[in-house]
């Protein structure tokens, strides 16, 4: 059984930083794609960032335009954990952040990996609030 558990959310001032963690059990991180999505009140869930590998083991990372240059995704296979380092946070980054996993979804094939229907497993989410 696959479980994804997020942590690291909280309240931060604009310009601040947070690091989110997603611990995966029952899922080998480099066997598919791990993504972060977010959902703000009254808005649709949107993809933020994801990480995966191709068949040769090369790692790929993807970012939405709204977070590119500010957020960094990484993974520690030994700890079964994916991280999302969020810097220069803005009020518009306020949302519930979800970790999601897609089995067998390899990197380097598509321009857009933020198709929600591709993801088989989801965590419960962690709240990120950016406010004075």
């Amino acid at each position: 059984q696959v479980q994804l558990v997020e942590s690291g959310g909280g309240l931060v001032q604009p310009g601040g930083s947070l690091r989110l963690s997603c611990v995966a059990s029952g899922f080998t991180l480099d066997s598919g794609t791990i993504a972060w999505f977010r959902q703000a009140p009254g808005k649709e869930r949107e993809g933020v960032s994801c990480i995966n590998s191709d068949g040769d083991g090369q790692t790929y990372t993807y970012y939405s335009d709204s977070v590119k240059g500010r957020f960094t995704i990484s993974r520690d296979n030994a700890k079964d954990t994916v991280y999302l380092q969020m810097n220069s946070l803005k009020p518009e980054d306020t949302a519930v952040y979800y970790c999601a996993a897609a089995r067998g979804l390899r990197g380097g094939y598509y321009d857009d990996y933020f198709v929600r229907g591709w993801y088989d497993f989801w965590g419960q989410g962690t709240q990120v609030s950016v406010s004075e």
Side-chain angles (χ1 to χ4, degrees), residues 41-124:
K43 294 188 177 181
E44 289 194 358
R45 194 170 296 190
E46 62 174 357
V48 174
S49 181
C50 68
I51 187 167
N52 50 33
S53 301
D54 63 17
D56 295 325
Q58 180 175 345
T59 300
Y60 295 82
T61 58
Y62 302 85
Y63 299 93
S64 67
D65 288 341
S66 61
V67 307
K68 200 171 294 182
R70 300 188 296 124
F71 291 10
T72 303
I73 193 169
S74 62
R75 70 185 178 200
D76 185 334
N77 291 343
K79 295 184 178 180
D80 296 322
T81 302
V82 172
Y83 303 99
L84 185 67
Q85 178 67 44
M86 306 187 296
N87 298 330
S88 303
L89 282 161
K90 305 175 181 180
E92 51 264 44
D93 294 318
T94 295
V96 178
Y97 283 70
Y98 298 91
C99 178
R103 284 193 191 279
L105 182 60
R106 293 293 190 177
Y109 291 102
Y110 307 105
D111 293 330
D112 181 9
Y113 276 83
F114 300 132
V115 179
R116 282 177 291 171
W118 290 356
Y119 291 85
D120 310 293
F121 309 101
W122 294 81
Q124 292 300 306

